[in-house]
Amino acid sequence: MNPGKTEEIKKRGNRLGMAIFRAALRLFGLSGAYGLLYFVGLYYLAFDRSAVASSMAYIRRRFRGYGFLRRILGVYLIFINQGKNLIDRHYLISGLGGFDIELNGYDKLNSLLGESRKGIILLTAHVGNWQVAMTALEKLGRTVYLVMRPEENAAVKDALNIDSEQGSIRIISSENFLGGVVEIMSVIDQGCLVSIMGDRSYGQNFTEAVLMGDRVKLPHGAFSIAAAAECPVVVLWSARLSAKKYIVDVSHIIGPVQGTKTEKNEKVRNCVQEFAGVLDNYAALYPFQWFVFGDIWEGKS
């Protein structure tokens, strides 16, 4: 275990802090819990240099003409928006209430699933609120597998029910043998949906693309698996539009990748670039809801 990493996780969330936010949410509703965020965000902005630096890599590229103070404000807004998403997630899973969800591309996705007995890959990123996005997809009637790393922070895990399997949601650990590829291929063959993050490579299995004008290293695993499984990739993203409304989009379909090995490799590179274009557009529309927290352009996730 990396001691430095453990210390960092403890600093960004503990049981007392989670309890305070839960109490505020129950006593004063969403607006009361949101109100605390502005003070907590200032604390992290002032004292958590690592969090600021990891956000600044994105802010510098998204707002190239901004001076230092406006960039700092951008980092602060990312902290606030991430906090609101986490509060909304707890609000949803604890049964305190729901959200109005606008779902784009449902008919296209439903039709795609009806064309084959196989499932598909949902390619997403650290944008918006995945818990809300999964809620919107329940009416498809398919089991959705999330490929994710186990949450190491017990306080965050308990408060947000991360790693838990509920309803039609199941988990495949990315730390399993071969990154969980065997399990992914199996459940796709059974007609299930598999959600994979596509914006952090962690230094492995990446393809270079251009994102916001600079070369970036994005993981290509989703497209390689889709090519092997002969299924398409559907881009999934969500964004918070207001205190009670989200948008979830599944309208962008990529692939499936077919051809010889050489042709597939070239097409996978094109697919990664196409996904980078989707992220670029998302960042233009919702600049403070991409919680990338790492310099993916330099391969530091």
Side-chain angles (χ1 to χ4, degrees), residues 228-240:
E230 298 182 341
C231 73
V233 171
V234 176
V235 179
L236 166 68
W237 58 258
S238 66
R240 186 174 180 277

Side-chain angles (χ1 to χ4, degrees), residues 169-184:
I169 303 297
R170 298 290 181 271
I171 305 293
I172 294 176
S173 173
S174 60
E175 296 185 350
N176 288 352
F177 178 64
L178 295 177
V181 169
V182 176
E183 293 97 324
I184 293 170

Side-chain angles (χ1 to χ4, degrees), residues 32-288:
Y34 292 162
L36 291 177
L37 281 176
Y38 295 94
F39 301 100
V40 175
L42 282 175
Y43 169 81
Y44 283 117
L45 195 66
F47 299 108
D48 193 339
R49 293 184 179 181
S50 174
V52 173
S54 64
S55 302
M56 195 62 83
Y58 161 71
I59 290 293
R60 278 201 310 271
R61 291 171 174 85
R62 174 61 185 82
F63 301 104
R64 291 181 181 274
Y66 277 19
F68 177 75
L69 290 179
R70 294 181 75 184
R71 288 177 178 176
I72 285 291
L73 176 61
V75 171
Y76 180 62
L77 291 175
I78 285 179
F79 289 172
I80 297 301
N81 276 287
Q82 189 194 31
K84 287 181 177 179
N85 274 274
L86 295 175
I87 289 170
D88 289 353
R89 188 180 302 176
H90 179 75
Y91 181 76
L92 185 68
I93 63 176
S94 61
L96 294 174
F99 298 93
D100 180 16
I101 301 174
E102 178 183 332
L103 178 57
N104 289 343
Y106 171 77
D107 290 340
K108 188 187 290 188
L109 176 56
N110 198 33
S111 176
L112 189 66
L113 289 170
E115 294 172 359
S116 170
R117 64 173 181 80
K118 289 190 175 183
I120 60 169
I121 290 178
L122 297 168
L123 182 59
T124 187
H126 294 82
V127 298
N129 194 324
W130 66 265
Q131 194 99 26
V132 170
M134 292 302 115
T135 301
L137 298 181
E138 284 180 349
K139 62 180 180 179
L140 288 170
R142 300 285 186 112
T143 301
V144 180
Y145 284 81
L146 307 178
V147 181
M148 60 192 298
R149 289 182 166 186
E151 174 58 49
E152 296 179 57
N153 187 329
V156 173
K157 180 177 178 178
D158 292 345
L160 301 178
N161 254 1
I162 293 175
D163 294 3
S164 66
E165 296 184 336
Q166 295 183 330
S168 59
I169 303 297
R170 298 290 181 271
I171 305 293
I172 294 176
S173 173
S174 60
E175 296 185 350
N176 288 352
F177 178 64
L178 295 177
V181 169
V182 176
E183 293 97 324
I184 293 170
M185 294 290 290
S186 174
V187 298
I188 288 177
D189 200 48
Q190 295 168 29
C192 301
L193 282 59
V194 177
S195 178
I196 298 176
M197 289 289 179
D199 58 347
R200 293 182 189 170
S201 69
Y202 300 99
Q204 298 178 340
N205 302 319
F206 60 81
T207 292
E208 288 198 351
V210 177
L211 177 58
M212 297 182 194
D214 283 341
R215 305 293 298 180
V216 65
K217 297 172 180 174
L218 296 177
H220 58 232
F223 298 109
S224 298
I225 294 171
E230 298 182 341
C231 73
V233 171
V234 176
V235 179
L236 166 68
W237 58 258
S238 66
R240 186 174 180 277
L241 301 179
S242 67
K244 294 290 286 185
K245 185 171 183 178
Y246 276 85
I247 182 173
V248 176
D249 190 288
V250 287
S251 64
H252 195 114
I253 300 170
I254 305 177
V257 173
Q258 296 175 326
T260 65
K261 183 177 179 181
T262 303
E263 290 171 339
K264 283 183 178 178
N265 290 339
E266 179 60 29
K267 289 179 180 177
V268 164
R269 280 193 287 274
N270 293 336
C271 289
V272 172
Q273 182 57 64
E274 186 173 341
F275 181 61
V278 174
L279 291 176
D280 214 334
N281 291 335
Y282 182 92
L285 288 171
Y286 311 103
F288 305 113

